[in-house]
Amino acid sequence: MPFEPESIVGEVLGRRAVKGIDPTDTDFECPYIQSRCPKRSTQLPNEPYPVCSLWKPAPRKSMQGPELIFVCPKRFYAVDFLKEVIDHCWPGDKPHNPQIAREVKMEGFGNVDFVIADVKKDNKIEQFLSVELQAIDITGSVFPAYQALRIGEDLEKKPTYGFNWDNVYKRYITQLIRKGYFHHHWKSKIVAVIPEQVYQYILGRAGFMRTTEVKKDPQVNIIFMTYRLEKDPDRVGEYKPVLVNVEGTSHTNLQNAIMYKDPPQRSAFIDQIKSSLARGVVKIF
C-alpha cells in the first residue's frame, strides 16, 4: 500500500509539508532565523536538511489525533519566547535593560543557549535568567519521507523511525539538574523551553514537586516552559507554537524523583537471578 510522506513530515522550512515542495526555491532559508537552515544530514553532504517538525501518531485506542512535535529548536523562534520568559519567569520587577547573550560558556559543562541579563548603567549585571531550548531527537530516519516529498511521490512503505524520548529524559534532564544546581548557587534560575509532549513524557516518568509560582517560590531554580504546535489562525493550513505550561521545580526535587524510584520487589529480582542461572552457571572456583 502506498504511504503518504506528509503524514510523517509535518513542516519543511516552517511551511506545511506537501508533495513537490522545493526548498531550493528560497535557497533553504529558514524564516525564523532569516538565514540558511543549519540542520544537516549525513545523507545530504552538500545541502541542509530542513525538516522542522514531525507528526506524532495518536496513541492506540485514543480519541486524540496525531500531533506535530518540534524536531528542530529553531522552530521555537516563530514566537518571541525570550520575551515570554521575561513575562512569565522573571522574579520581582521586570528588568529595566534586558540584554540577550547567546551561547554563554558554562565552565566545565558546555554552553547555555541564551542568558537574559539586566544590565545596569555601570555595566553591572545583578540579575539574569538562563534559557535552554530542546526539541526531540528521533531514532531511525525519516529521510525517505523527505525525499518523497521533494520528488512529489508517495512511499512504497512507511519508514522505520521513532521519537527518542529516553535520550531526552536521560541526557537532557541530567544536564538540567546539574545546571539547576549551579543556578541555585548563583541565586538565579534556568528556563527549559521544550515541547509540551516531551514535558508530559518526563512527568510520566518522574513525579517531582511542581509549582506555577515560578517567580515567587525561592526553591524554584528550574522552570519548564512548554509549547505545542497548533493551527495558526493567521495562516490557513499552517501551525504556530503556543505556550501551554509554565511550571517550576528545584534541582534536588528533580534529581530525587529520577534517582529514588520505588524499588522492584526483592522476590521478583530473585526470580530473575534463578532464570539467569538456569541459562548457565559461571563457576568462580
Side-chain angles (χ1 to χ4, degrees), residues 81-134:
F81 63 88
L82 291 172
K83 179 182 181 301
E84 293 191 313
V85 167
I86 294 173
D87 290 344
H88 296 282
C89 307
W90 193 274
D93 295 334
K94 289 190 176 179
H96 296 288
N97 182 30
Q99 296 187 23
I100 310 300
R102 298 170 183 263
E103 294 294 325
V104 180
K105 185 173 178 56
M106 181 176 283
E107 186 175 350
F109 206 70
N111 295 337
V112 174
D113 292 334
F114 301 92
V115 175
I116 306 171
D118 194 8
V119 182
K120 307 301 182 184
K121 289 182 179 179
D122 59 1
N123 214 35
K124 186 178 180 180
I125 296 172
E126 292 182 354
Q127 196 167 57
F128 64 88
L129 283 180
S130 297
V131 183
E132 290 265 71
L133 294 182
Q134 179 66 45

Side-chain angles (χ1 to χ4, degrees), residues 146-216:
Y146 173 67
Q147 278 186 311
L149 285 170
R150 290 192 62 175
I151 62 177
E153 295 181 357
D154 283 338
L155 291 158
E156 291 184 5
K157 62 179 182 179
K158 183 178 180 180
T160 302
Y161 78 100
F163 296 100
N164 201 348
W165 305 104
D166 276 350
N167 185 50
V168 171
Y169 182 76
K170 293 174 183 176
R171 178 183 55 80
Y172 182 66
I173 294 302
T174 299
Q175 292 181 6
L176 199 57
I177 290 168
R178 196 164 173 186
K179 291 177 179 179
Y181 169 70
F182 297 158
H183 283 74
H184 161 71
H185 282 276
W186 298 333
K187 294 181 172 54
S188 185
K189 306 176 191 287
I190 184 165
V191 182
V193 177
I194 61 174
E196 169 67 9
Q197 297 95 331
V198 172
Y199 186 53
Q200 292 304 319
Y201 177 81
I202 294 167
L203 294 180
R205 291 281 302 270
F208 50 88
M209 177 276 288
R210 295 146 56 199
T211 177
T212 57
E213 295 293 327
V214 298
K215 295 183 178 183
K216 298 178 182 178

Side-chain angles (χ1 to χ4, degrees), residues 2 7 60 63 68 73 103 111 119 122 137 162 170 180 196 206 210 223 233 246 249 253 256 275 277:
S7 67
R60 289 184 180 181
M63 299 299 291
L68 271 184
E103 294 294 325
N111 295 337
V119 182
D122 59 1
D137 304 320
K170 293 174 183 176
E196 169 67 9
R210 295 146 56 199
I223 301 172
V246 180
T249 188
N253 267 276
N256 290 341
S275 176
L277 290 173

